Amino acid sequence: MSAGYNGRMIRGPLKFMALGALLLGAANAQPTGEWRLTSITDAGRLISVNAQVAPTLRFDATRVSGLAGCNTYTASYAARADLLTFARVITTKKACPDQVLSLEERYLNVLRGVRRYELRGRTLVLHAGNDRMEFVQGGRVSDVTQTATRYAGAWELAGVNVAGRALNVQGDRPVTLTVEGARLSGNAPCNTYSATFGVVNGAIQVGPVASTRRLCTTDAGNQLETAFLGALRAARAFELRGEQLVVVARDGTTLTFRRASGSGAVTGASLEGGWTLRTVDDRAPQGPRAITLNFEGPQVGGNDGCNAFGGTYRVSGSTLRAAGPLPQTLMACPEPADFPSLTALLRAGATFSVNADVLTLTGQGHTWVFSR
């Protein structure tokens, strides 16, 4: 009896010790793979990070590496329990836009001071005294410019389908969606909202959706708002179907939009295709890259001689104008002396004419001549 009792006493502590070891191991799981910065608290100031320039952090066996915003970096690290430190942080020294460089400096300064970490599912939190950085699992948002330009502009909700059931979308005001670069915004049935938008590892990702907190006055309005914002938060695909934009959520809910009144992108058939700049005011452009324009359906894109850009456009009579923002890549480039900006011309609007294989744009006191 005594031996059996002692056996149970031995097995009991061993069982709890084993359980404790399992729990400790789970709590102290070390981060692996690639992570993308979503926010940083530096000197008590919370800074949300634009997905297009977000620093990344990749863990290998004994080293980390990633993009600091503009430059790449590498460092050694040591992790034990919930403790984590980085050492010998080395970066490249590219010239970067001021805004990106400011974020990069903050990121690297906090990284050097990190002393502990937390893993919360797909979220990694690094602590450096009172400063902290939050990451989401996955690589840097990529192709956001090219993807967002497909859907750029203002849209109005035309239909919502939840589990095969269509909801009534008629209310006191139109429900809208505006896509501008890496951001979404608009009117929900009762509130206004905004969110980040991008492409992570080839998949559409809508970031946290923030909204005002007004109460809907009807049950139908409340039901529509819940379905609408829920579908945006869980979006897995944006699809252009003819003249409509369809947002597909992970549970199969669909939001169908049509172009908002007055924002439709009207194309000029004679503009279709690619064009290369020959002269501006009879001067040939000087630069490392050709200045180009490309028109495809409602989309306009090209290169300003340094950075690629893209967006939508419309034609009214003989005037061509960008229909929304023209997101650009962020390469640091020397500004050509006294040379006008192509994207500024498109935003302001230009008179155009096409004669065979020659496109002429006139605006802001300059004449631009392109050829196919």
Side-chain angles (χ1 to χ4, degrees), residues 31 46 95 100 119 121 137 165 168 185 203 205 218 260 272 335 347:
L46 176 64
V100 179
L119 268 178
Q137 197 166 28
R165 182 170 62 92
N168 180 13
S185 61
Q205 184 176 84
T218 65
E272 287 286 308
E335 289 289 336
R347 292 187 186 100

Side-chain angles (χ1 to χ4, degrees), residues 13 19 25 60 80 94 102 123 179 192 202 235 246 256 307 320:
L19 178 60
D60 294 315
R80 180 174 59 86
K94 291 193 298 186
S102 175
T123 300
V179 182
T192 58
V246 180
T256 302
N307 282 287
L320 178 156

Side-chain angles (χ1 to χ4, degrees), residues 10 33 54 85 101 115 153 157 178 197 238 261-262 326:
I10 292 171
T85 57
L101 187 59
R115 293 296 178 267
L157 188 67
T178 299
F197 168 83
F238 279 44
S261 177
L326 294 172

Side-chain angles (χ1 to χ4, degrees), residues 36 49-54 140-153 155 177-185 193-200 202-210 231-233 235-240 245-248 327:
R36 174 171 54 85
V49 178
N50 186 318
Q52 288 179 274
V53 295
R140 190 177 193 177
V141 171
S142 62
D143 300 328
V144 66
T145 299
Q146 293 86 344
T147 301
T149 55
R150 297 179 205 161
Y151 318 116
W155 301 84
L177 169 71
T178 299
V179 182
E180 296 184 36
R183 291 202 67 78
L184 307 177
S185 61
Y193 68 91
S194 64
T196 56
F197 168 83
V199 182
V200 177
I204 291 287
Q205 184 176 84
V206 175
V209 178
L232 278 184
R233 290 186 176 100
R236 65 171 178 80
F238 279 44
E239 301 173 1
L240 284 175
L245 169 64
V246 180
V247 177
V248 183

